[in-house]
Structure formats: C-alpha cells, structure tokens
Amino acid sequence: MGGGGAPGNPQAGSRFGAYRDPVLKQIETYYDAVPRSAARAEEFGPLTLFVREGAGWPYYARPALGYDGEATVADVDRVRARQRELGAPEAFEWVAETTPGLRAAVEASGLTVHEHPLMVLEGDVLPVAGPEGVTVRMVGARDPFLASAVAAPYAAFGAEPAPDAVAQVAGRITAGLTHLSAALDDAGTALSAGQHQPVGAVSEVVGVGTVPAARRRGLGLAVTAALVADARSRGVELVFLSASDADVARLYGRLGFRTVATALIAEA
C-alpha cells in the first residue's frame, strides 16, 4: 500500500477510518493479538489493558478490538488507576486514524502523547550489505552471539537488559514468536540488532537499534532488510513498523516503507 496519510494529516482520519482500510484493519488485529503470547488482557469497556505475565518489558493499554464506542476520560482514568495498582507504567498505544477520539481523552487525563509515523512495506526489500568487516545475519536461540545481539538495542537507547532478557528472547525464538537479526563485527560483537514478531501473515519490525559508536553506517537498514527477508521467507504478507520520527521514516523509505498512518504513544 502506498502514499498513505502522513502524520498530522487532517484528511487521514477520513482516508484511513477504523476498519474501512484493510491494511489498518490487519494492523489493529495484529496489535490486539501480539501481546497475548506473554500477557493477560483485562477489559475496561472501550479499552484493553495488557498485563505482562512473567519478566520482560511491561505492556500498555490500547483500544479494545472492534469496540464501537468512544473512550472517555473516566475510562482512561480507570485504566491508569489499575496500572498504578499493578506497578505498571501508565502507558497507552493506538493508531490515530482508527481511534481518532482517544487522544483527547488521554490528554485530558494528563498524559503526554507522542506521534510516530506508522509505515507499511511495499513489495520486497533487496539485501543491504553491511560495511566491510560486518556480517548481517539472523541469530538463533542457541547462537553464541545471542547475548550480544539482545544487548545491542538496549545500548542504543542507553539502557541495560534485564538479567533474564537473553533467556526470554531465546524462548520466544524457539517458540517462533520472535526472529532476531544482528550486524556482527569480526569479533562477533553485535553493533546493531532488531526483531520481527509474526502473527499469521502479519509481522512488525521492532526494537532496531545501533550502538552509538557504530551509527551512521547503514547498519540499522541492513538489519531491517534482513528481518524483512526472513519475514517474507516465512510467508508474511504485511510487514510494518513505527519510526521514531520523520527523519528516521525517510531512512526506512529507502527500503520501500511508506507512511500510512500515525502511531500514538501516551505516557505519564
């Protein structure tokens, strides 16, 4: 699908309305399904709160799949109270064009909303070679470089992985829930890495990050191209991602990703 409404486009709501656009319908269904492999769902009328079971990144609340009513400030406040009770971040994620009324309720509740271009891949991606001395490949659950590949995106964002992060990722790879690609230097150290998470014929590219010392070498694009190739080899028809901002979206545009909507993330 090409040339969708850019972030902030006032016409995007009419062009990509909830369940009128087949691509956004697929993405909405995916967003509802993908957390359920590691979280339980608690229903709050127009909102669903995903609560992680076990260790790992905490989840968020999002619009309930197929719910026709509008979420109110009171609905958002109820979910936030439950998140505080659970010790979970007060976070919401949704697509602006499919749930256009939620932003006002979330902001009225006191949360800050961030916009991110939501991008869908057109066609296939040709392999992108890494620079000399770097090998880009998929990393398996028993790969000796798995720990380094798991750590690289954390380092990219100035964080440290949880003690059991490698075991968590290994388990997801074994279960077919996650597929991991990395750019490895001659010593086997991951300079960049990322994942895709398939659910049926849809997969999202997530967590692509490059360690600060190796940036501006095209490693993130090479890792993303490898993830796309892996997804296609597994029968995935729709590959999508959320870019951090418009500049990063332009980089992904080189691979054939096109902005079709706006992903919104709200935090306290």
Short mmCIF file of all heavy atoms in Angstrom, two decimals, residues 85-158:
data_model
loop_
_atom_site.label_atom_id
_atom_site.label_comp_id
_atom_site.label_asym_id
_atom_site.label_seq_id
_atom_site.Cartn_x
_atom_site.Cartn_y
_atom_site.Cartn_z
N GLU A 85 -1.98 0.36 40.37
CA GLU A 85 -2.18 -0.74 41.31
C GLU A 85 -1.25 -1.90 41.00
O GLU A 85 -0.72 -2.55 41.91
CB GLU A 85 -3.64 -1.19 41.24
CG GLU A 85 -3.99 -2.35 42.16
CD GLU A 85 -5.43 -2.81 41.97
OE1 GLU A 85 -6.24 -2.02 41.45
OE2 GLU A 85 -5.74 -3.96 42.33
N LEU A 86 -1.02 -2.15 39.71
CA LEU A 86 -0.16 -3.25 39.28
C LEU A 86 1.32 -2.88 39.30
O LEU A 86 2.17 -3.75 39.12
CB LEU A 86 -0.54 -3.68 37.87
CG LEU A 86 -1.93 -4.31 37.70
CD1 LEU A 86 -2.29 -4.36 36.22
CD2 LEU A 86 -1.95 -5.71 38.31
N GLY A 87 1.63 -1.61 39.50
CA GLY A 87 3.02 -1.16 39.41
C GLY A 87 3.53 -1.12 37.98
O GLY A 87 4.74 -1.19 37.72
N ALA A 88 2.61 -1.00 37.02
CA ALA A 88 2.95 -0.95 35.60
C ALA A 88 2.98 0.50 35.12
O ALA A 88 2.32 1.37 35.71
CB ALA A 88 1.93 -1.74 34.78
N PRO A 89 3.72 0.80 34.08
CA PRO A 89 3.72 2.16 33.55
C PRO A 89 2.34 2.57 33.09
O PRO A 89 1.57 1.75 32.57
CB PRO A 89 4.69 2.08 32.35
CG PRO A 89 5.52 0.86 32.60
CD PRO A 89 4.64 -0.10 33.35
N GLU A 90 2.01 3.83 33.27
CA GLU A 90 0.74 4.36 32.78
C GLU A 90 0.94 4.73 31.32
O GLU A 90 1.30 5.85 30.98
CB GLU A 90 0.31 5.56 33.62
CG GLU A 90 0.03 5.19 35.08
CD GLU A 90 -0.22 6.40 35.94
OE1 GLU A 90 -1.09 7.23 35.56
OE2 GLU A 90 0.44 6.52 36.99
N ALA A 91 0.71 3.75 30.44
CA ALA A 91 1.02 3.90 29.03
C ALA A 91 -0.13 3.39 28.17
O ALA A 91 -0.78 2.40 28.51
CB ALA A 91 2.30 3.13 28.69
N PHE A 92 -0.34 4.09 27.05
CA PHE A 92 -1.37 3.72 26.08
C PHE A 92 -0.75 3.78 24.69
O PHE A 92 0.08 4.65 24.41
CB PHE A 92 -2.56 4.69 26.13
CG PHE A 92 -3.34 4.63 27.41
CD1 PHE A 92 -2.83 5.16 28.60
CD2 PHE A 92 -4.61 4.06 27.44
CE1 PHE A 92 -3.55 5.11 29.78
CE2 PHE A 92 -5.34 4.03 28.61
CZ PHE A 92 -4.82 4.54 29.79
N GLU A 93 -1.15 2.86 23.81
CA GLU A 93 -0.69 2.88 22.43
C GLU A 93 -1.88 2.64 21.51
O GLU A 93 -2.72 1.79 21.79
CB GLU A 93 0.38 1.80 22.19
CG GLU A 93 1.64 2.02 23.02
CD GLU A 93 2.77 1.06 22.66
OE1 GLU A 93 2.62 0.33 21.64
OE2 GLU A 93 3.79 1.05 23.36
N TRP A 94 -1.96 3.40 20.41
CA TRP A 94 -3.04 3.21 19.46
C TRP A 94 -2.70 3.90 18.14
O TRP A 94 -1.69 4.59 18.03
CB TRP A 94 -4.36 3.73 20.03
CG TRP A 94 -4.53 5.22 20.11
CD1 TRP A 94 -5.23 6.03 19.27
CD2 TRP A 94 -3.99 6.09 21.14
NE1 TRP A 94 -5.17 7.33 19.69
CE2 TRP A 94 -4.42 7.40 20.83
CE3 TRP A 94 -3.19 5.89 22.27
CZ2 TRP A 94 -4.06 8.51 21.60
CZ3 TRP A 94 -2.84 6.98 23.05
CH2 TRP A 94 -3.28 8.26 22.72
N VAL A 95 -3.55 3.68 17.14
CA VAL A 95 -3.38 4.30 15.83
C VAL A 95 -4.36 5.47 15.73
O VAL A 95 -5.58 5.29 15.93
CB VAL A 95 -3.64 3.28 14.69
CG1 VAL A 95 -3.51 3.95 13.33
CG2 VAL A 95 -2.66 2.11 14.81
N ALA A 96 -3.85 6.64 15.45
CA ALA A 96 -4.67 7.85 15.47
C ALA A 96 -5.85 7.74 14.52
O ALA A 96 -6.98 8.13 14.85
CB ALA A 96 -3.82 9.06 15.10
N GLU A 97 -5.62 7.21 13.32
CA GLU A 97 -6.66 7.20 12.30
C GLU A 97 -7.77 6.20 12.57
O GLU A 97 -8.88 6.37 12.07
CB GLU A 97 -6.03 6.93 10.92
CG GLU A 97 -5.20 8.07 10.37
CD GLU A 97 -3.83 8.21 11.03
OE1 GLU A 97 -3.43 7.33 11.83
OE2 GLU A 97 -3.16 9.22 10.76
N THR A 98 -7.51 5.15 13.33
CA THR A 98 -8.55 4.17 13.60
C THR A 98 -9.32 4.47 14.88
O THR A 98 -10.44 4.01 15.05
CB THR A 98 -7.96 2.74 13.69
OG1 THR A 98 -6.96 2.71 14.71
CG2 THR A 98 -7.36 2.31 12.37
N THR A 99 -8.72 5.24 15.79
CA THR A 99 -9.41 5.63 17.03
C THR A 99 -9.17 7.12 17.25
O THR A 99 -8.45 7.53 18.16
CB THR A 99 -8.88 4.81 18.23
OG1 THR A 99 -8.75 3.44 17.85
CG2 THR A 99 -9.82 4.91 19.41
N PRO A 100 -9.76 7.97 16.40
CA PRO A 100 -9.42 9.40 16.42
C PRO A 100 -9.83 10.12 17.69
O PRO A 100 -9.24 11.14 18.04
CB PRO A 100 -10.17 9.96 15.20
CG PRO A 100 -11.26 8.97 14.94
CD PRO A 100 -10.72 7.64 15.34
N GLY A 101 -10.84 9.61 18.43
CA GLY A 101 -11.31 10.33 19.60
C GLY A 101 -10.53 10.07 20.87
O GLY A 101 -10.71 10.77 21.87
N LEU A 102 -9.64 9.06 20.84
CA LEU A 102 -8.96 8.68 22.08
C LEU A 102 -7.95 9.70 22.54
O LEU A 102 -7.74 9.89 23.74
CB LEU A 102 -8.30 7.31 21.89
CG LEU A 102 -7.58 6.73 23.11
CD1 LEU A 102 -8.49 6.64 24.32
CD2 LEU A 102 -6.99 5.36 22.78
N ARG A 103 -7.33 10.39 21.62
CA ARG A 103 -6.27 11.33 22.01
C ARG A 103 -6.79 12.39 22.97
O ARG A 103 -6.12 12.71 23.97
CB ARG A 103 -5.65 11.98 20.77
CG ARG A 103 -4.53 12.94 21.13
CD ARG A 103 -3.73 13.37 19.92
NE ARG A 103 -2.55 14.13 20.33
CZ ARG A 103 -1.49 14.33 19.55
NH1 ARG A 103 -1.46 13.84 18.32
NH2 ARG A 103 -0.45 15.02 19.99
N ALA A 104 -7.95 12.94 22.69
CA ALA A 104 -8.48 14.00 23.54
C ALA A 104 -8.71 13.49 24.96
O ALA A 104 -8.39 14.18 25.94
CB ALA A 104 -9.77 14.55 22.96
N ALA A 105 -9.24 12.27 25.08
CA ALA A 105 -9.49 11.71 26.41
C ALA A 105 -8.19 11.44 27.14
O ALA A 105 -8.08 11.69 28.35
CB ALA A 105 -10.31 10.42 26.28
N VAL A 106 -7.19 10.93 26.43
CA VAL A 106 -5.90 10.62 27.05
C VAL A 106 -5.21 11.89 27.52
O VAL A 106 -4.68 11.97 28.63
CB VAL A 106 -5.02 9.83 26.07
CG1 VAL A 106 -3.58 9.79 26.54
CG2 VAL A 106 -5.56 8.41 25.90
N GLU A 107 -5.23 12.92 26.68
CA GLU A 107 -4.58 14.17 27.06
C GLU A 107 -5.34 14.85 28.20
O GLU A 107 -4.71 15.45 29.09
CB GLU A 107 -4.47 15.08 25.85
CG GLU A 107 -3.45 14.57 24.83
CD GLU A 107 -3.30 15.47 23.62
OE1 GLU A 107 -4.29 16.15 23.25
OE2 GLU A 107 -2.20 15.50 23.04
N ALA A 108 -6.66 14.76 28.19
CA ALA A 108 -7.44 15.35 29.28
C ALA A 108 -7.17 14.63 30.60
O ALA A 108 -7.30 15.23 31.68
CB ALA A 108 -8.93 15.30 28.95
N SER A 109 -6.76 13.37 30.52
CA SER A 109 -6.41 12.62 31.72
C SER A 109 -5.04 13.01 32.27
O SER A 109 -4.69 12.65 33.38
CB SER A 109 -6.44 11.12 31.41
OG SER A 109 -6.10 10.35 32.54
N GLY A 110 -4.27 13.75 31.47
CA GLY A 110 -2.98 14.23 31.95
C GLY A 110 -1.76 13.55 31.38
O GLY A 110 -0.64 13.78 31.84
N LEU A 111 -1.95 12.72 30.34
CA LEU A 111 -0.82 12.04 29.74
C LEU A 111 -0.28 12.82 28.55
O LEU A 111 -1.00 13.61 27.92
CB LEU A 111 -1.22 10.63 29.28
CG LEU A 111 -1.70 9.68 30.37
CD1 LEU A 111 -2.05 8.32 29.77
CD2 LEU A 111 -0.63 9.51 31.44
N THR A 112 0.99 12.60 28.23
CA THR A 112 1.64 13.23 27.09
C THR A 112 1.63 12.26 25.92
O THR A 112 2.00 11.09 26.08
CB THR A 112 3.08 13.62 27.42
OG1 THR A 112 3.08 14.53 28.53
CG2 THR A 112 3.77 14.27 26.23
N VAL A 113 1.23 12.73 24.75
CA VAL A 113 1.10 11.88 23.57
C VAL A 113 2.23 12.19 22.58
O VAL A 113 2.51 13.35 22.27
CB VAL A 113 -0.26 12.10 22.88
CG1 VAL A 113 -0.36 11.26 21.60
CG2 VAL A 113 -1.39 11.75 23.83
N HIS A 114 2.87 11.13 22.08
CA HIS A 114 3.94 11.25 21.10
C HIS A 114 3.49 10.63 19.79
O HIS A 114 2.88 9.56 19.78
CB HIS A 114 5.21 10.55 21.59
CG HIS A 114 5.68 11.01 22.93
ND1 HIS A 114 6.40 12.17 23.11
CD2 HIS A 114 5.50 10.48 24.17
CE1 HIS A 114 6.68 12.33 24.39
NE2 HIS A 114 6.13 11.32 25.06
N GLU A 115 3.81 11.28 18.67
CA GLU A 115 3.43 10.79 17.34
C GLU A 115 4.61 10.09 16.66
O GLU A 115 5.75 10.55 16.74
CB GLU A 115 2.97 11.95 16.46
CG GLU A 115 1.74 12.66 16.95
CD GLU A 115 1.26 13.70 15.96
OE1 GLU A 115 1.91 13.86 14.89
OE2 GLU A 115 0.24 14.35 16.23
N HIS A 116 4.30 8.98 15.97
CA HIS A 116 5.32 8.23 15.24
C HIS A 116 4.75 7.77 13.90
O HIS A 116 3.63 7.23 13.87
CB HIS A 116 5.77 7.01 16.04
CG HIS A 116 6.28 7.35 17.41
ND1 HIS A 116 7.58 7.76 17.64
CD2 HIS A 116 5.66 7.36 18.62
CE1 HIS A 116 7.73 8.01 18.93
NE2 HIS A 116 6.59 7.78 19.54
N PRO A 117 5.47 7.98 12.80
CA PRO A 117 4.97 7.50 11.51
C PRO A 117 4.79 5.99 11.52
O PRO A 117 5.71 5.25 11.89
CB PRO A 117 6.07 7.92 10.53
CG PRO A 117 6.78 9.07 11.21
CD PRO A 117 6.72 8.74 12.67
N LEU A 118 3.61 5.52 11.13
CA LEU A 118 3.32 4.10 11.00
C LEU A 118 3.51 3.74 9.54
O LEU A 118 2.83 4.29 8.67
CB LEU A 118 1.90 3.80 11.46
CG LEU A 118 1.46 2.34 11.44
CD1 LEU A 118 2.29 1.51 12.42
CD2 LEU A 118 -0.02 2.21 11.78
N MET A 119 4.43 2.80 9.27
CA MET A 119 4.88 2.56 7.91
C MET A 119 4.66 1.10 7.51
O MET A 119 4.89 0.18 8.30
CB MET A 119 6.37 2.90 7.77
CG MET A 119 6.73 4.28 8.30
SD MET A 119 8.47 4.72 7.99
CE MET A 119 8.40 5.12 6.23
N VAL A 120 4.23 0.91 6.27
CA VAL A 120 3.99 -0.41 5.70
C VAL A 120 4.93 -0.61 4.52
O VAL A 120 5.17 0.32 3.73
CB VAL A 120 2.52 -0.54 5.26
CG1 VAL A 120 2.30 -1.79 4.41
CG2 VAL A 120 1.61 -0.58 6.48
N LEU A 121 5.44 -1.82 4.39
CA LEU A 121 6.37 -2.12 3.30
C LEU A 121 5.63 -2.37 2.00
O LEU A 121 4.66 -3.12 1.95
CB LEU A 121 7.21 -3.36 3.66
CG LEU A 121 8.21 -3.81 2.60
CD1 LEU A 121 9.32 -2.78 2.44
CD2 LEU A 121 8.80 -5.17 2.95
N GLU A 122 6.12 -1.73 0.93
CA GLU A 122 5.62 -2.01 -0.40
C GLU A 122 6.57 -2.98 -1.09
O GLU A 122 7.75 -2.70 -1.24
CB GLU A 122 5.55 -0.72 -1.22
CG GLU A 122 4.50 0.26 -0.76
CD GLU A 122 4.45 1.49 -1.65
OE1 GLU A 122 5.50 1.85 -2.22
OE2 GLU A 122 3.37 2.08 -1.79
N GLY A 123 6.08 -4.14 -1.50
CA GLY A 123 6.92 -5.09 -2.21
C GLY A 123 7.93 -5.76 -1.31
O GLY A 123 7.72 -5.92 -0.11
N ASP A 124 9.04 -6.14 -1.88
CA ASP A 124 10.12 -6.80 -1.15
C ASP A 124 11.32 -5.87 -1.04
O ASP A 124 11.38 -4.83 -1.70
CB ASP A 124 10.54 -8.10 -1.83
CG ASP A 124 9.46 -9.16 -1.75
OD1 ASP A 124 8.85 -9.29 -0.68
OD2 ASP A 124 9.22 -9.84 -2.76
N VAL A 125 12.26 -6.24 -0.20
CA VAL A 125 13.46 -5.44 0.02
C VAL A 125 14.66 -6.25 -0.46
O VAL A 125 14.81 -7.43 -0.10
CB VAL A 125 13.63 -5.08 1.51
CG1 VAL A 125 14.99 -4.48 1.78
CG2 VAL A 125 12.54 -4.10 1.94
N LEU A 126 15.51 -5.63 -1.25
CA LEU A 126 16.75 -6.28 -1.64
C LEU A 126 17.70 -6.32 -0.46
O LEU A 126 17.67 -5.44 0.41
CB LEU A 126 17.39 -5.54 -2.82
CG LEU A 126 16.60 -5.54 -4.13
CD1 LEU A 126 17.30 -4.66 -5.17
CD2 LEU A 126 16.44 -6.95 -4.66
N PRO A 127 18.58 -7.32 -0.39
CA PRO A 127 19.55 -7.35 0.71
C PRO A 127 20.39 -6.08 0.75
O PRO A 127 20.74 -5.51 -0.28
CB PRO A 127 20.40 -8.58 0.38
CG PRO A 127 19.55 -9.41 -0.51
CD PRO A 127 18.72 -8.45 -1.30
N VAL A 128 20.67 -5.62 1.95
CA VAL A 128 21.52 -4.45 2.15
C VAL A 128 22.80 -4.93 2.82
O VAL A 128 22.77 -5.42 3.96
CB VAL A 128 20.82 -3.39 3.03
CG1 VAL A 128 21.76 -2.21 3.28
CG2 VAL A 128 19.53 -2.92 2.37
N ALA A 129 23.90 -4.81 2.13
CA ALA A 129 25.17 -5.29 2.67
C ALA A 129 25.68 -4.36 3.76
O ALA A 129 25.56 -3.13 3.65
CB ALA A 129 26.21 -5.40 1.55
N GLY A 130 26.22 -4.92 4.81
CA GLY A 130 26.86 -4.12 5.83
C GLY A 130 28.22 -3.64 5.35
O GLY A 130 28.74 -4.10 4.34
N PRO A 131 28.84 -2.71 6.05
CA PRO A 131 30.17 -2.24 5.67
C PRO A 131 31.21 -3.35 5.83
O PRO A 131 30.94 -4.39 6.43
CB PRO A 131 30.43 -1.09 6.65
CG PRO A 131 29.54 -1.36 7.80
CD PRO A 131 28.33 -2.05 7.26
N GLU A 132 32.37 -3.11 5.32
CA GLU A 132 33.44 -4.11 5.39
C GLU A 132 33.71 -4.48 6.85
O GLU A 132 33.76 -3.62 7.73
CB GLU A 132 34.72 -3.55 4.75
CG GLU A 132 35.85 -4.55 4.68
CD GLU A 132 37.07 -4.00 3.97
OE1 GLU A 132 36.98 -2.88 3.43
OE2 GLU A 132 38.11 -4.68 3.96
N GLY A 133 33.88 -5.78 7.08
CA GLY A 133 34.14 -6.25 8.43
C GLY A 133 32.90 -6.49 9.26
O GLY A 133 33.01 -6.83 10.44
N VAL A 134 31.70 -6.33 8.65
CA VAL A 134 30.45 -6.54 9.38
C VAL A 134 29.61 -7.57 8.63
O VAL A 134 29.45 -7.49 7.42
CB VAL A 134 29.65 -5.23 9.52
CG1 VAL A 134 28.29 -5.48 10.15
CG2 VAL A 134 30.44 -4.21 10.34
N THR A 135 29.08 -8.53 9.36
CA THR A 135 28.20 -9.55 8.80
C THR A 135 26.80 -9.37 9.37
O THR A 135 26.62 -9.29 10.59
CB THR A 135 28.70 -10.97 9.15
OG1 THR A 135 30.02 -11.14 8.63
CG2 THR A 135 27.79 -12.03 8.57
N VAL A 136 25.81 -9.31 8.49
CA VAL A 136 24.42 -9.18 8.92
C VAL A 136 23.73 -10.52 8.70
O VAL A 136 23.71 -11.04 7.57
CB VAL A 136 23.70 -8.07 8.13
CG1 VAL A 136 22.24 -7.95 8.59
CG2 VAL A 136 24.41 -6.74 8.30
N ARG A 137 23.16 -11.07 9.76
CA ARG A 137 22.50 -12.38 9.64
C ARG A 137 21.49 -12.57 10.76
O ARG A 137 21.46 -11.81 11.73
CB ARG A 137 23.54 -13.50 9.68
CG ARG A 137 24.32 -13.63 10.99
CD ARG A 137 25.16 -14.89 10.97
NE ARG A 137 26.01 -15.06 12.13
CZ ARG A 137 25.59 -15.57 13.30
NH1 ARG A 137 24.33 -15.91 13.46
NH2 ARG A 137 26.43 -15.72 14.32
N MET A 138 20.67 -13.61 10.61
CA MET A 138 19.73 -13.97 11.64
C MET A 138 20.48 -14.68 12.78
O MET A 138 21.49 -15.33 12.55
CB MET A 138 18.63 -14.88 11.09
CG MET A 138 17.83 -14.28 9.94
SD MET A 138 17.05 -12.69 10.33
CE MET A 138 15.87 -13.19 11.61
N VAL A 139 19.96 -14.52 13.99
CA VAL A 139 20.58 -15.09 15.18
C VAL A 139 19.58 -16.03 15.84
O VAL A 139 18.45 -15.63 16.14
CB VAL A 139 21.00 -13.97 16.16
CG1 VAL A 139 21.56 -14.56 17.45
CG2 VAL A 139 22.02 -13.05 15.50
N GLY A 140 19.99 -17.28 16.06
CA GLY A 140 19.10 -18.28 16.63
C GLY A 140 19.14 -18.34 18.13
O GLY A 140 19.95 -17.66 18.79
N ALA A 141 18.29 -19.18 18.69
CA ALA A 141 18.16 -19.28 20.15
C ALA A 141 19.42 -19.80 20.81
O ALA A 141 19.69 -19.49 21.98
CB ALA A 141 16.97 -20.18 20.50
N ARG A 142 20.21 -20.61 20.10
CA ARG A 142 21.43 -21.17 20.68
C ARG A 142 22.69 -20.56 20.07
O ARG A 142 23.78 -21.10 20.24
CB ARG A 142 21.44 -22.68 20.49
CG ARG A 142 20.25 -23.37 21.16
CD ARG A 142 20.42 -24.85 21.23
NE ARG A 142 19.30 -25.49 21.89
CZ ARG A 142 19.29 -26.75 22.31
NH1 ARG A 142 20.36 -27.50 22.13
NH2 ARG A 142 18.22 -27.25 22.90
N ASP A 143 22.52 -19.46 19.40
CA ASP A 143 23.66 -18.79 18.77
C ASP A 143 24.61 -18.26 19.84
O ASP A 143 24.15 -17.66 20.82
CB ASP A 143 23.15 -17.64 17.90
CG ASP A 143 24.18 -17.13 16.93
OD1 ASP A 143 25.21 -16.60 17.39
OD2 ASP A 143 23.95 -17.26 15.72
N PRO A 144 25.92 -18.44 19.68
CA PRO A 144 26.85 -17.92 20.69
C PRO A 144 26.83 -16.40 20.81
O PRO A 144 27.29 -15.87 21.82
CB PRO A 144 28.21 -18.43 20.21
CG PRO A 144 28.03 -18.74 18.76
CD PRO A 144 26.61 -19.19 18.62
N PHE A 145 26.28 -15.72 19.81
CA PHE A 145 26.25 -14.26 19.84
C PHE A 145 24.87 -13.71 20.21
O PHE A 145 24.62 -12.51 20.05
CB PHE A 145 26.71 -13.71 18.49
CG PHE A 145 28.04 -14.22 18.06
CD1 PHE A 145 28.18 -14.93 16.87
CD2 PHE A 145 29.17 -14.04 18.85
CE1 PHE A 145 29.41 -15.43 16.48
CE2 PHE A 145 30.41 -14.54 18.47
CZ PHE A 145 30.53 -15.24 17.28
N LEU A 146 24.02 -14.57 20.72
CA LEU A 146 22.67 -14.12 21.07
C LEU A 146 22.70 -13.04 22.13
O LEU A 146 22.01 -12.03 22.03
CB LEU A 146 21.82 -15.30 21.55
CG LEU A 146 20.41 -14.95 22.03
CD1 LEU A 146 19.58 -14.33 20.92
CD2 LEU A 146 19.71 -16.18 22.60
N ALA A 147 23.50 -13.22 23.17
CA ALA A 147 23.54 -12.24 24.26
C ALA A 147 23.95 -10.87 23.75
O ALA A 147 23.37 -9.84 24.14
CB ALA A 147 24.48 -12.72 25.36
N SER A 148 24.94 -10.84 22.87
CA SER A 148 25.38 -9.57 22.32
C SER A 148 24.29 -8.94 21.46
O SER A 148 24.07 -7.72 21.51
CB SER A 148 26.66 -9.78 21.49
OG SER A 148 27.12 -8.56 20.96
N ALA A 149 23.58 -9.77 20.69
CA ALA A 149 22.52 -9.25 19.83
C ALA A 149 21.35 -8.71 20.66
O ALA A 149 20.72 -7.73 20.28
CB ALA A 149 22.04 -10.34 18.88
N VAL A 150 21.05 -9.36 21.78
CA VAL A 150 19.98 -8.87 22.65
C VAL A 150 20.38 -7.54 23.30
O VAL A 150 19.57 -6.63 23.46
CB VAL A 150 19.65 -9.92 23.73
CG1 VAL A 150 18.73 -9.34 24.80
CG2 VAL A 150 19.01 -11.15 23.08
N ALA A 151 21.66 -7.41 23.65
CA ALA A 151 22.13 -6.22 24.37
C ALA A 151 22.24 -4.99 23.49
O ALA A 151 22.09 -3.86 23.98
CB ALA A 151 23.48 -6.51 25.02
N ALA A 152 22.49 -5.16 22.19
CA ALA A 152 22.77 -4.01 21.32
C ALA A 152 21.65 -2.97 21.31
O ALA A 152 21.93 -1.77 21.48
CB ALA A 152 23.09 -4.49 19.91
N PRO A 153 20.38 -3.34 21.10
CA PRO A 153 19.34 -2.30 21.11
C PRO A 153 19.19 -1.60 22.46
O PRO A 153 18.86 -0.41 22.51
CB PRO A 153 18.07 -3.08 20.74
CG PRO A 153 18.57 -4.28 20.00
CD PRO A 153 19.84 -4.65 20.68
N TYR A 154 19.43 -2.33 23.54
CA TYR A 154 19.40 -1.67 24.86
C TYR A 154 20.47 -0.59 24.92
O TYR A 154 20.23 0.54 25.37
CB TYR A 154 19.62 -2.69 25.97
CG TYR A 154 18.43 -3.56 26.29
CD1 TYR A 154 18.22 -4.77 25.62
CD2 TYR A 154 17.50 -3.19 27.26
CE1 TYR A 154 17.13 -5.58 25.92
CE2 TYR A 154 16.41 -4.00 27.57
CZ TYR A 154 16.24 -5.20 26.89
OH TYR A 154 15.17 -5.99 27.18
N ALA A 155 21.69 -0.95 24.47
CA ALA A 155 22.78 0.01 24.47
C ALA A 155 22.46 1.21 23.59
O ALA A 155 22.84 2.34 23.89
CB ALA A 155 24.07 -0.66 24.00
N ALA A 156 21.74 0.96 22.50
CA ALA A 156 21.39 2.04 21.59
C ALA A 156 20.53 3.09 22.27
O ALA A 156 20.61 4.28 21.95
CB ALA A 156 20.65 1.47 20.38
N PHE A 157 19.72 2.65 23.23
CA PHE A 157 18.82 3.57 23.92
C PHE A 157 19.26 3.86 25.35
O PHE A 157 18.48 4.33 26.17
CB PHE A 157 17.40 3.00 23.90
CG PHE A 157 16.88 2.79 22.50
CD1 PHE A 157 16.72 1.51 21.98
CD2 PHE A 157 16.59 3.87 21.68
CE1 PHE A 157 16.26 1.32 20.69
CE2 PHE A 157 16.13 3.68 20.38
CZ PHE A 157 15.97 2.40 19.89
N GLY A 158 20.53 3.56 25.65
CA GLY A 158 21.09 3.89 26.95
C GLY A 158 20.52 3.11 28.10
O GLY A 158 20.40 3.63 29.21
#
